[in-house]
Amino acid sequence: MVWWYWMVLGLALLGAEMTTPGGFYMIFFGLSALLVGTLGGLDIVATDWLQWLLFSVIAIGSLLLFRGPLLAGMS
């Protein structure tokens, strides 16, 4: 995908997270899209399949690692 598609997707997901009552799900997918967009813009990750793989791994990995502590810190 073109790098700026990832940026638009990331900003849209972060905006959606801010407008919905919190479950803290979309924030991780939004940040992952922004990271993949940055890597694509710098030509570090050029192929589409690798961008989608990185997006999936980063989003799900960060969701599993950081969502629990984030929710625990909110209470």
Side-chain angles (χ1 to χ4, degrees), residues 2-66:
V2 181
W3 67 270
W4 59 270
Y5 286 172
W6 286 110
M7 297 302 208
V8 170
L9 177 64
L11 292 175
L13 287 169
L14 291 177
E17 179 70 51
M18 296 300 149
T19 60
T20 58
F24 291 113
Y25 288 106
M26 288 185 278
I27 192 167
F28 299 109
F29 289 91
L31 292 173
S32 176
L34 290 175
L35 180 62
V36 171
T38 302
L39 293 174
L42 296 172
D43 285 332
I44 295 173
V45 179
T47 59
D48 287 345
W49 68 269
L50 187 55
Q51 289 178 1
W52 282 104
L53 179 66
L54 278 176
F55 171 72
S56 301
V57 169
I58 294 169
I60 293 170
S62 63
L63 179 73
L64 293 174
L65 285 174
F66 299 120

